């Protein structure tokens, strides 16, 4: 869970910079951000499914 706390701000920062540099990428950046955050949110549950 500590990794999620470190990775989320980094992903948000990179997404924000990309949007500032290339506003046309807004849809793709938001979609990728949501996918990454969703996968990170499921990460602890994915490990417990096998047990």
């Amino acid at each position: 869970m500590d990794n999620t706390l470190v990775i989320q701000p980094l992903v948000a920062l990179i997404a924000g910079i990309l949007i500032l540099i290339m506003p046309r990428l807004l849809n793709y950046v938001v979609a990728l951000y949501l996918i990454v955050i969703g996968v990170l949110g499921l990460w602890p549950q994915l490990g417990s499914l096998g047990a």
Side-chain angles (χ1 to χ4, degrees):
M1 193 123 158
D2 292 332
N3 291 340
T4 303
L5 296 176
V6 173
I7 293 174
Q8 285 181 346
L10 291 175
V11 172
L13 181 64
I14 292 169
I17 291 170
L18 286 175
I19 291 170
L20 282 174
I21 293 172
M22 294 178 274
R24 290 183 175 187
L25 289 179
L26 178 61
N27 292 334
Y28 297 110
V29 170
V30 170
L32 286 173
Y33 175 79
L34 291 173
I35 291 169
V36 168
I37 296 304
V39 168
L40 289 175
L42 290 174
W43 195 266
Q45 287 82 11
L46 290 175
S48 64
L49 289 177

